[in-house]
Amino acid sequence: MEREVMASYETKKIFEVRVFESLDEMATDLAEFISQVSEISVKRKQQIYNSVCIFMYVCLKSQLLFSLKRKLCEAPYNKTLDWSKWYVFWAEERAVAKNHAESNYKLTKEEFLSKVPIPNGHVYSINDNATVEEAATDYEFVIRQLVKIRTVGVSESNDCPKFDLILLNIGPDGHVASLFPNHPALELKDDWVTYITDSPEPPPERITFTLPVINSASNIAIVATGEDKAKAVSSAISDCNEGLGATPVPARMVQPTDGKLVWFLDEAAASSLEAGNDAYKNQY
């Protein structure tokens, strides 16, 4: 059964936390959340400037991605979602070939994109034949061109692209996308896409959206499953920033400028909130 809590933190931003007893329940609610974002975005953009829905997708844990794919391909979503208006990007990608086992594109293609009628021309993967630096530069150039022709919206607060939804995981160390703790990439202000060559998790070379782009989204969903994520989740959303060191974890730095942030957690990932934070324990 889903449980919700509203919370605020140092920047006074409001976010929502949803906790689920099973991956199936999480996938059901996440599918409904995605559906609502898609419907609202399509209607809003058609009314304002006759453009299209921009949808941001990144890879989830394979089992959850499979459940989510199954939900979205079933009624009512297979009938009501306007797949032709979806545009798909990656908030992070490993600098490997598209058919490599570590490729986010490969997993998403197999588990999701091959099952829904999103036009091939609306799916933007990185150039896997380029160096990681070139791939990041090319990816940012493509997005800037899409912003220029108003396929992708632009934030009212800055010149960053404004995606309708960015879907993220959180790592056990609190990283999101490929933004790792204490990494210089966290400090970038002007770049939309950057690259790293020293990821603490293999493979070492990756491209990633920067924090300004992530925080410019209309909606951000962060998904966490498993007990190994519990401390990172607590450090990211608790009132006191403890558990993984004095420096804020990257997930805590996800603070939408003018958007909505929703956490989707299973009970194991939420366990440190319940056990160690009285402000949360009695509100689920």
Side-chain angles (χ1 to χ4, degrees):
M1 181 179 297
E2 176 189 344
R3 295 168 294 177
E4 301 182 5
V5 59
M6 300 297 292
S8 61
Y9 48 108
E10 60 269 21
T11 57
K12 305 302 181 183
K13 297 293 184 180
I14 302 300
F15 59 87
E16 181 181 353
V17 178
R18 305 183 184 185
V19 183
F20 304 88
E21 293 180 353
S22 70
L23 287 183
D24 186 68
E25 289 182 349
M26 180 186 289
T28 297
D29 195 68
L30 187 55
E32 181 61 25
F33 177 77
I34 291 170
S35 175
Q36 291 174 0
V37 169
S38 177
E39 181 179 357
I40 291 170
S41 299
V42 169
K43 288 181 178 179
R44 174 173 55 83
K45 292 188 175 185
Q46 287 176 339
Q47 292 170 354
I48 295 177
Y49 51 85
N50 195 32
S51 188
V52 293
C53 175
I54 309 302
F55 181 77
M56 179 64 213
Y57 195 86
V58 296
C59 283
L60 299 170
K61 180 180 177 182
S62 182
Q63 184 179 356
L64 178 58
L65 179 58
F66 177 80
S67 298
L68 177 60
K69 178 265 293 183
R70 179 168 52 82
K71 299 293 183 183
L72 288 173
C73 294
E74 294 176 348
Y77 309 117
N78 60 342
K79 303 290 186 181
T80 58
L81 286 177
D82 190 348
W83 299 106
S84 68
K85 301 292 175 60
W86 282 36
Y87 281 66
V88 180
F89 302 82
W90 275 260
E92 67 159 333
E93 180 56 292
R94 289 85 180 269
V96 296
K98 288 185 174 64
N99 61 355
H100 193 282
E102 296 287 346
S103 169
N104 282 337
Y105 173 84
K106 173 181 171 62
L107 177 61
T108 311
K109 178 72 172 179
E110 293 175 349
E111 295 289 352
F112 181 70
L113 294 175
S114 63
K115 314 296 182 182
V116 294
I118 299 173
N120 290 334
H122 291 189
V123 178
Y124 291 87
S125 57
I126 71 168
N127 181 358
D128 59 338
N129 292 316
T131 67
V132 66
E133 181 178 4
E134 292 169 341
T137 299
D138 290 349
Y139 210 55
E140 178 167 327
F141 176 79
V142 168
I143 297 172
R144 286 187 180 274
Q145 293 302 110
L146 292 171
V147 169
K148 185 176 181 179
I149 63 175
R150 302 193 74 179
T151 297
V152 177
V154 63
S155 170
E156 296 178 358
S157 303
N158 52 47
D159 70 342
C160 286
K162 191 175 183 67
F163 292 101
D164 294 310
L165 174 63
I166 294 183
L167 183 58
L168 300 170
N169 290 326
I170 179 174
D173 60 354
H175 83 267
V176 289
S178 282
L179 298 171
F180 291 92
N182 302 308
H183 197 282
L186 292 169
E187 304 301 323
L188 295 175
K189 304 298 183 184
D190 299 322
D191 295 348
W192 292 0
V193 180
T194 191
Y195 69 97
I196 64 173
T197 59
D198 55 354
S199 168
E201 298 180 358
E205 295 188 339
R206 302 162 177 237
I207 69 103
T208 182
F209 278 6
T210 59
L211 279 170
V213 170
I214 292 173
N215 286 331
S216 294
S218 295
N219 297 275
I220 303 173
I222 303 181
V223 179
T225 60
E227 188 176 358
D228 63 327
K229 308 292 181 61
K231 288 185 178 180
V233 168
S234 178
S235 183
I237 67 180
S238 297
D239 290 336
C240 56
N241 186 26
E242 297 177 352
L244 293 176
T247 303
V249 297
R252 191 178 182 88
M253 302 168 74
V254 176
Q255 303 169 355
T257 305
D258 187 26
K260 178 180 181 179
L261 171 61
V262 181
W263 286 80
F264 291 80
L265 311 174
D266 68 1
E267 292 186 329
S271 60
S272 290
L273 295 178
E274 295 178 302
N277 296 279
D278 292 337
Y280 292 88
K281 183 166 57 177
N282 297 320
Q283 297 184 53
Y284 280 82

